[in-house]
Amino acid sequence: MYEKYLSERIAKLRTMKKVSARDMSLSIGQNENYINHIENGKSMPSMQVFFYICEYFNISPKEFFDEKTINPPLIKAVIDDLNQLDEKQIMNIHELIKGLRK
């Protein structure tokens, strides 16, 4: 169950980042087929490499496994931006979001 989720989640995040499996593999210090093998269910990453994968996507392990968050790097970037605003600005954005959800 988790093996399939892990491989699908990596593939989805990698696709959103618009990077090839080969480039990602090399970027995290692995051989060029490493991510491809994970995505195809042929292998699983060690815990250490899993943390490298999370770092690569700039997300926490918790964000990686949060099924409700479709694009965790974008959500994290939005939260970082919100943290730089004052309360009135955040309230304005909150009202805008509520309007978009209608």
Side-chain angles (χ1 to χ4, degrees), residues 21-37:
R22 180 186 183 280
D23 288 345
M24 181 179 169
S25 295
L26 296 173
S27 292
I28 62 169
Q30 302 299 316
N31 72 56
E32 63 184 27
N33 295 317
Y34 187 77
I35 294 298
N36 190 277
H37 286 179

Side-chain angles (χ1 to χ4, degrees), residues 60-73:
S60 70
K62 178 183 176 190
E63 291 164 328
F64 182 91
F65 286 107
D66 183 359
E67 296 179 30
K68 295 176 191 167
T69 304
I70 296 169
N71 192 336

Side-chain angles (χ1 to χ4, degrees), residues 93-102:
I93 291 173
H94 181 64
E95 292 301 318
L96 176 66
I97 291 169
K98 289 191 319 192
L100 291 171
R101 292 178 56 196
K102 289 182 181 179

Side-chain angles (χ1 to χ4, degrees), residues 50-81:
F50 171 71
F51 290 130
Y52 291 153
I53 290 169
C54 290
E55 276 182 32
Y56 180 80
F57 291 125
N58 195 30
I59 60 175
S60 70
K62 178 183 176 190
E63 291 164 328
F64 182 91
F65 286 107
D66 183 359
E67 296 179 30
K68 295 176 191 167
T69 304
I70 296 169
N71 192 336
L74 181 58
I75 297 296
K76 186 173 184 173
V78 169
I79 290 170
D80 290 344
D81 289 341

Side-chain angles (χ1 to χ4, degrees), residues 40-54:
N40 290 320
K42 295 178 183 175
S43 66
M44 292 286 290
S46 67
M47 283 300 290
Q48 183 177 9
V49 175
F50 171 71
F51 290 130
Y52 291 153
I53 290 169
C54 290

